[in-house]
Amino acid sequence: MKAYTLGVIIPTYNRASMLKRAIESVLKQDYPNIKHIVVTDDGSTDNTREVVEEFQKKDSRIVYIQNTKYMKGPNGNKNNGLDYIEYEAKPDFFCILDDDDELLPDAISTLIKICEQNPDYDIVIGNCVNNDGNFTGRHYGKSEELTFVDFLCERYVGEYFGLVKTSLLKGRRFKEETWGGEKILWFSLHKDARKIYYYHGGFKRYELRGERVTKKMVSNAKRQFLNYKYILDLFGTDFLNNCPGIYAKHCLSAALFAKLSNDKENFKKYIKLALESHKSSKTFLIAFTLFLPNPMLIFLRSKVWSVAKRFFY
């Protein structure tokens, strides 16, 4: 049975104290073949570098790199780490751990064991827990094999932690010009994976970001619009063939951020696509709310999408 090697990417920016906790959670893992712990720094101005250097004195697996190649932001910084993993470290599997999260005990060894038992699993994921101990990813209370369509159609949605075969990357990266938009790369990897497995259990403690992320999404509305545009460009046919309601939901999201960006042309385009793909009075009512003035739209955003969630799921 092959002993797989693993590389862990920890993207960070100005969170030295939280970063310390994240690194320690990796160092405490009982799996012996974690070969690289790559901290990629997006230009921190606090004592991030000093924190990492202290760890490096004790553990040679820790690598510190700065993001000077990609656009500043979460996606560009993660791409910087992916470059090191794919072209320098070259482990069998990799994972990404945000600097304000932490791995739970035995997370890596439990997931790796599944990969060892079935070499056809290119991606193995588990759930995350929040500070209240609740799962952050939608689940069905059991371990099972998954498909690309399970993720595409949001049968599995939320925050998960997983290991991915490095060979799946093939030079593909997150879209650095988007804000968020991680699904674009994950969908591509899931679509190409031979087999995917979900193990029902908590493997990462996830820091709830809530309002902080919402504010950034609104302030980065143009980049958030690109997120949905690319998803629809790349996977639109897959959505329409498998779950047209989710296609409509993404169109409405594109319209929302087009409106917040004062992009009237794309606002009209994606409203039209939503209505054409899923003709429903509820869809129309949700679309209608997008014609509200921006301040009111932002205020009602969570209420609008709570209606959408009940409908599309």
Side-chain angles (χ1 to χ4, degrees):
M1 185 179 295
K2 181 175 180 178
Y4 289 113
T5 57
L6 176 73
V8 181
I9 299 171
I10 305 179
T12 192
Y13 176 67
N14 279 347
R15 288 188 187 144
S17 60
M18 292 183 175
L19 173 63
K20 181 178 179 180
R21 182 186 65 182
I23 294 175
E24 287 176 341
S25 76
V26 179
L27 296 179
K28 291 177 181 177
Q29 295 298 304
D30 61 358
Y31 187 68
N33 287 323
I34 300 176
K35 297 298 185 182
H36 297 85
I37 303 168
V38 183
V39 179
T40 175
D41 189 351
D42 209 21
S44 297
T45 56
D46 61 2
N47 63 326
T48 289
R49 183 163 195 158
E50 289 74 16
V51 166
V52 178
E53 287 175 346
E54 284 300 312
F55 278 109
Q56 287 177 312
K57 293 176 183 178
K58 303 173 184 177
D59 199 310
S60 61
R61 296 176 298 170
I62 299 172
V63 178
Y64 176 81
I65 55 176
Q66 291 185 315
N67 177 28
T68 58
K69 178 180 178 181
Y70 292 96
M71 181 184 296
K72 186 176 176 63
N75 285 351
N77 196 28
K78 289 174 183 175
N79 286 345
N80 193 50
L82 288 173
D83 280 357
Y84 189 91
I85 286 294
E86 185 171 14
Y87 303 130
E88 301 291 334
K90 301 179 181 179
D92 296 309
F93 284 84
F94 74 90
C95 64
I96 298 177
L97 177 68
D98 286 330
D99 58 3
D100 56 349
D101 297 332
E102 62 180 319
L103 293 180
L104 297 176
D106 306 328
I108 300 301
S109 60
T110 301
L111 293 177
I112 281 286
K113 185 177 180 180
I114 297 169
C115 302
E116 291 173 342
Q117 292 172 342
N118 192 330
D120 287 338
Y121 288 143
D122 290 335
I123 301 175
V124 177
I125 66 170
N127 227 305
C128 303
V129 295
N130 59 27
N131 292 332
D132 297 326
N134 298 316
F135 285 122
T136 60
R138 176 181 296 175
H139 63 90
Y140 295 86
K142 62 179 180 179
S143 302
E144 60 179 345
E145 286 192 0
L146 306 179
T147 67
F148 162 62
V149 173
D150 287 320
F151 292 96
L152 184 82
C153 298
E154 300 187 355
R155 180 171 177 260
Y156 273 73
V157 65
E159 184 69 18
Y160 297 93
F161 173 75
L163 310 182
V164 180
K165 275 190 179 173
T166 304
S167 59
L168 272 183
L169 281 171
K170 299 176 183 176
R172 290 177 291 193
R173 297 293 182 264
F174 296 106
K175 296 285 189 182
E176 59 181 316
E177 65 271 30
T178 68
W179 187 267
E182 292 186 2
K183 281 184 179 180
I184 299 168
L185 176 60
W186 295 132
F187 277 175
S188 296
L189 299 180
H190 289 143
K191 191 171 184 178
D192 284 357
R194 288 173 299 174
K195 287 187 176 182
I196 307 168
Y197 193 82
Y198 167 74
Y199 187 89
H200 187 53
F203 295 90
K204 183 179 77 171
R205 183 169 287 109
Y206 176 69
E207 182 71 22
L208 293 175
R209 296 167 174 89
E211 186 64 21
R212 184 180 73 201
V213 170
T214 300
K215 288 181 179 179
K216 287 186 177 180
M217 287 170 65
V218 173
S219 63
N220 289 279
K222 289 183 179 180
R223 294 172 71 180
Q224 190 68 29
F225 163 74
L226 289 175
N227 170 15
Y228 291 102
K229 178 185 183 300
Y230 289 147
I231 285 176
L232 291 164
D233 287 348
L234 293 169
F235 306 106
T237 300
D238 294 311
F239 281 120
L240 289 170
N241 289 339
N242 293 283
C243 40
I246 302 300
Y247 176 88
K249 191 188 80 164
H250 284 311
C251 287
L252 291 173
S253 295
L256 165 65
F257 288 105
K259 178 173 174 57
L260 293 174
S261 305
N262 296 315
D263 183 346
K264 296 180 181 179
E265 181 177 348
N266 277 313
F267 171 69
K268 294 177 182 178
K269 172 184 174 179
Y270 287 100
I271 286 290
K272 181 180 178 182
L273 287 173
L275 295 174
E276 288 176 348
S277 64
H278 206 280
K279 295 179 180 179
S280 161
S281 59
K282 288 186 177 180
T283 307
F284 177 79
L285 287 172
I286 295 168
F288 179 76
T289 64
L290 298 179
F291 289 93
L292 294 169
N294 283 354
M296 188 178 297
L297 176 61
I298 295 171
F299 175 74
L300 293 175
R301 182 175 181 271
S302 62
K303 296 184 182 299
V304 169
W305 294 119
S306 67
V307 174
K309 184 176 180 181
R310 289 198 301 271
F311 170 53
F312 292 118
Y313 295 154

